[in-house]
Amino acid sequence: MSKTALKKELSTFTGEELVKVILDVYDVSKEAKQYFEYFLHPNPDALLEKKVDIIAKEINRAKRGYCKARISRIRAEIKEFESYGVGAEYVCRLMGYTLRMLTGEYAYVRYTDALLASVRKFTAENVVYANKHEMLSQMMSEINSLASSQLGTPNFRRMVLNAATEAMENLASGMKK
């Protein structure tokens, strides 16, 4: 059903019927329940903390010395976080925390080549997102801070910094055209 068709259908409901539908959705759907709870009592810091915990759990998945984190799950959590309407500054903070956790975990487990490629792509996506929301300087300061930290290994930190730099260069060359 399209959004327009849903809007048309809902416009025929009375106030009581709408309340009943919302309560039914609240009872049936875990995601709807979480959204309504956030909608009624918005606390982006608590939601950020919850998402950081979920992402940390994903990053800590390991088997036989290899990290089994799924970047697709991490992206899904960030996208869901963004869908709550928390604002770009919170989304960028979550992305920064995620990069920090990925970097820190690299000191303890090995990453497959596919995961390393996904981390490079994820870093570039973060830079593009930050640029789109006029927060590029904050994102780059976070990445530079990460690159000069003691987390992970120097090679991994350099890889993250190089991926961010390449993404910035791509953005700059795209603006010139």
Side-chain angles (χ1 to χ4, degrees), residues 93-106:
R93 280 177 53 194
L94 182 58
M95 290 174 168
Y97 291 154
T98 302
L99 277 176
R100 217 168 245 295
M101 289 185 286
L102 284 165
T103 303
E105 185 68 11
Y106 190 74

Side-chain angles (χ1 to χ4, degrees), residues 9 18 120:
E9 187 67 31
L18 281 175
R120 281 191 292 272

Side-chain angles (χ1 to χ4, degrees), residues 104-123:
E105 185 68 11
Y106 190 74
Y108 303 106
V109 292
R110 295 182 296 245
Y111 284 18
T112 62
D113 290 340
L115 183 56
L116 288 171
S118 294
V119 171
R120 281 191 292 272
K121 186 176 177 184
F122 178 74
T123 303

